[in-house]
Amino acid sequence: MPDPVVRDLELADGTTTPIVIGVGAFEHGADRIGAWLAGRTVFVLSSPTVRGLWGHATTALTRDAARVVELEVVDGEAAKTVATAETLWREMLAQGGKRDSRLLTLGGGSVGDLGGWVAGCFLRGIEYVQLPTTLLAQVDASVGGKTGVDLPGGKNTVGLFHHPAAVLADTRVLTTLSRDLRRAGLVEVVKMAYLLDPALLTRVENDLEALLEGDVERLATVVDGAVAAKCSVVVSDPREGDRRRLLNFGHTLGHAIEAALGYSEMQHGDAVGWGLLFALRLAERRGLGTEVADRLRRLLDRFDLPPLPELDPDRLIALMAGDKKAREDGLVWVLPRDLGVGEMVSGIGNDEVRTELIAFLNDPFASV
Amino acid sequence: MPDPVVRDLELADGTTTPIVIGVGAFEHGADRIGAWLAGRTVFVLSSPTVRGLWGHATTALTRDAARVVELEVVDGEAAKTVATAETLWREMLAQGGKRDSRLLTLGGGSVGDLGGWVAGCFLRGIEYVQLPTTLLAQVDASVGGKTGVDLPGGKNTVGLFHHPAAVLADTRVLTTLSRDLRRAGLVEVVKMAYLLDPALLTRVENDLEALLEGDVERLATVVDGAVAAKCSVVVSDPREGDRRRLLNFGHTLGHAIEAALGYSEMQHGDAVGWGLLFALRLAERRGLGTEVADRLRRLLDRFDLPPLPELDPDRLIALMAGDKKAREDGLVWVLPRDLGVGEMVSGIGNDEVRTELIAFLNDPFASV
């Protein structure tokens, strides 16, 4: 088996976040972060399911810690609340957590987002390392320093930028994911590939079945490609101005669909898949070639996304208006202008969005 | 009347925080931050007492805002909870707050600390400006970017570094403070003066009565001196390594006293006053001259600090061990080595601390 790859995400403050990717990333990481946690109090945040499957991986990592304190939250998005964070802070304080304590997050995007925020605010900030255990978290959530929790009014509406000291993305953990969760993660890969790396798009097209089936080597390759693409925009735009916002392709409607469904019925990645298809419509209206649009439609068609339940277009529009990325002057859409070329488009009127949305909900895969 | 002074706090990222100090800082600030909030949704966080007295000052400041949303929290430390922050986040979201919205904090250290954290985490961070209305907040809490709330296990145990875009410290607001609150703020001035600026110490000694009585011009001078001293250490050490920790002089025991009293019976500044006196004992044991120590004792004696209630030394020691500034290897004390010279001292054993604490509680103003 090939060694894990290490991508160094260069941060604005001159530091770097090493992202270790591939089969054996945990073992590779043990050497890398051993000194970082030696002699420290180390908190390990996870959820019951993930700890049961992969908890043993952190045991090896933390062998030089002064002591290890396990923190547990429920699986999935439900863990991302302010109240859960407060419970964790109280426990960390009661357990003698100090400014030089460390936190490991072992889990999917929810555990990573929550844990990053908890680390970023505990005693005004302690260092942490992410061990993402879903494909979504490996390619997207764990890279770039975004952390946060949800409010009833919106997802990730409370949080901060707090970069992990390292990310260990071991693709072996993806074998215990369901095929559905691998698919949801692949949507984010496709999102990045379409706007940032057409060669990666071709790879996903060619290897789709093996990727969905959990081939750890092929998964390592696309995780590496997606992380490289993401790093390139994060580096050029650490605080999310225009360039980084390319990553929001598909997310404007995607977030609204999730919100409309209460964040439980549909995986984030699947909702983004539908969001990508809708963005294609708006993009075609602005000149995106039908052949280029259809290429993404054909690929997403092979994903077998879970069907969209009946949704009220006006409710979706209202939810999009409340998106945290909205500005006083309205929504900014991320749309492809061509394969490998994205742009920010503002000023699309509600009437147009509503018309397209109705057509889209009626036949999501149709060209305009 | 002299114009307000503007101190520019230079931050590690190359930006600066202008700190406008003196009589008329609000009017001066209106020109300075007018463009910053023009066309924005502006949240104004305050407490009922402060809004009643000085709310009109923000009305002039926000004249160019798109709209102003008032947020209210209870007076004092009781506002600094995670739950209060969540209530504010929900309200800000419900009111249509966006990433380009602004927050003004009008109040004492509690409103500033809470508001800074709320701004720092809302939608992963919005910009804010502090309008500190207590002497403590003007000389200390509003400068340096520390924000946060309390947990039952400790003060300021959840928060982050989030620098305000500006600070407007108008000393006219100090006229509506009680003499007791001016005294509590002066303790922090004395803390900085003793380790960082002996000339400022002399000024407080000479003008003490006028300062306690609320002379806005003399207060402007000492606020400026204290802010300058604080800026000098914050600039050299933005994330609180050794140099910035000089500001914790008196705070190790001070925080423990506050915690033992449930953060309600005694003002932070007054507790720090007692903490300074205790630190003098430890410093004398390490060679601080008695005359130098007595100079600070004489000044603090003139402060008429509220008496220390009966406190259990072992409880105080336990509380100090839980201080967020503690490391795995124990407490680090900030002690004066001479007038204008502070040092970090670690490795002071619990036995010594206990012995000195018992002697101190018995006669706080006694030399060793």
Side-chain angles (χ1 to χ4, degrees), chain A residues 31-327:
Chain A
D31 301 331
R32 197 168 266 266
I33 70 172
W36 173 79
L37 44 67
R40 315 274 182 167
T41 295
V42 178
F43 297 98
V44 181
L45 177 67
S46 196
S47 63
T49 308
V50 175
R51 180 160 278 138
L53 290 166
W54 294 100
H56 56 88
T58 62
T59 309
L61 281 170
T62 57
R63 60 180 176 241
D64 293 329
R67 69 208 175 95
V68 176
V69 179
E70 297 197 345
L71 302 172
E72 200 152 283
V73 293
V74 297
D75 285 307
E77 195 76 25
K80 289 176 59 180
T81 68
V82 176
T84 303
E86 181 172 12
T87 302
L88 294 172
W89 287 320
R90 287 181 187 225
E91 190 170 341
M92 291 163 75
L93 202 60
Q95 294 279 355
K98 302 276 189 284
R99 286 195 177 165
D100 57 0
S101 299
R102 309 299 199 194
L103 177 72
L104 303 181
T105 63
L106 176 72
S110 297
V111 163
D113 288 356
L114 168 69
W117 189 55
V118 164
C121 292
F122 183 64
L123 306 180
R124 295 205 192 91
I126 65 170
E127 296 184 25
Y128 75 117
V129 158
Q130 297 235 27
L131 287 71
T133 61
T134 64
L135 182 53
L136 180 74
Q138 292 193 351
V139 300
D140 196 10
S142 66
V143 179
K146 284 189 179 183
T147 75
V149 298
D150 307 331
L151 294 178
K155 212 175 148 177
N156 297 320
T157 41
V158 172
L160 75 158
F161 286 87
H162 184 49
H163 285 277
V167 179
L168 309 182
D170 198 315
T171 48
R172 281 173 307 185
V173 301
L174 306 179
T175 59
T176 51
L177 276 189
S178 68
R179 181 182 165 104
D180 283 355
L181 281 175
R182 284 192 292 266
R183 178 197 60 218
L186 276 175
V187 172
E188 294 281 2
V189 174
V190 164
K191 167 200 83 174
M192 289 188 264
Y194 193 75
L195 291 191
L196 298 166
D197 183 357
L200 179 60
L201 189 72
T202 304
R203 186 175 282 276
V204 175
E205 289 170 331
N206 292 342
D207 291 345
L208 183 61
E209 192 46 39
L211 294 167
L212 289 171
E213 279 304 303
D215 179 319
V216 293
E217 293 296 341
R218 285 194 172 84
L219 281 166
T221 303
V222 302
V223 169
D224 180 44
V227 166
K230 178 149 187 186
C231 285
S232 73
V233 295
V234 169
V235 165
S236 64
D237 179 18
R239 297 286 303 186
E240 196 159 62
D242 272 3
R243 179 103 182 122
R244 184 163 179 170
R245 295 176 91 192
L246 288 177
L247 300 170
N248 295 323
F249 180 32
H251 280 60
T252 304
L253 181 62
H255 278 156
I257 290 171
E258 284 185 277
L261 299 177
Y263 300 109
S264 54
E265 275 185 56
M266 188 175 286
Q267 286 296 321
H268 171 71
D270 293 331
V272 169
W274 293 116
L276 291 174
L277 289 163
F278 179 63
L280 287 177
R281 287 190 74 93
L282 295 179
E284 276 184 289
R285 293 288 184 203
R286 277 150 193 83
L288 179 69
T290 300
E291 187 45 46
V292 177
D294 280 346
R295 182 169 167 190
L296 181 53
R297 287 197 183 96
R298 279 194 302 273
L299 178 57
L300 287 171
D301 195 26
R302 295 168 61 201
F303 273 55
D304 280 326
L305 295 173
L308 268 182
E310 190 134 336
L311 290 165
D312 173 11
D314 291 314
R315 166 113 173 95
L316 292 173
I317 288 172
L319 286 165
M320 288 191 282
D323 191 280
K324 70 181 178 305
K325 293 182 187 73
R327 313 268 159 162

Side-chain angles (χ1 to χ4, degrees), chain B residues 202-337:
Chain B
T202 303
R203 186 175 282 277
V204 175
E205 288 170 331
N206 291 343
D207 291 346
L208 183 61
E209 192 47 38
L211 295 166
L212 289 171
E213 279 304 304
D215 179 319
V216 293
E217 294 295 342
R218 284 195 173 83
L219 282 165
T221 304
V222 302
V223 169
D224 180 44
V227 167
K230 179 149 186 185
C231 284
S232 73
V233 296
V234 169
V235 166
S236 64
D237 178 17
R239 296 286 303 185
E240 195 160 64
D242 272 4
R243 178 102 181 121
R244 184 163 178 169
R245 295 175 92 194
L246 288 177
L247 300 170
N248 295 322
F249 179 33
H251 280 60
T252 305
L253 181 62
H255 279 155
I257 290 171
E258 284 184 278
L261 300 177
Y263 300 110
S264 54
E265 274 185 56
M266 188 176 286
Q267 286 296 321
H268 172 69
D270 293 331
V272 170
W274 293 115
L276 292 174
L277 288 164
F278 179 62
L280 287 177
R281 287 191 71 95
L282 295 179
E284 277 184 287
R285 292 288 184 202
R286 276 149 192 84
L288 179 69
T290 300
E291 186 46 47
V292 177
D294 280 345
R295 182 169 166 190
L296 182 52
R297 287 197 183 97
R298 278 194 303 273
L299 178 57
L300 287 170
D301 195 26
R302 294 168 62 199
F303 273 55
D304 279 325
L305 295 172
L308 268 181
E310 189 133 338
L311 290 164
D312 173 10
D314 291 314
R315 167 114 172 94
L316 292 173
I317 288 172
L319 286 164
M320 287 191 283
D323 191 280
K324 70 179 178 307
K325 292 181 187 75
R327 313 268 158 161
E328 294 290 343
D329 55 357
L331 279 176
V332 180
W333 291 86
V334 179
L335 302 179
R337 199 166 56 213

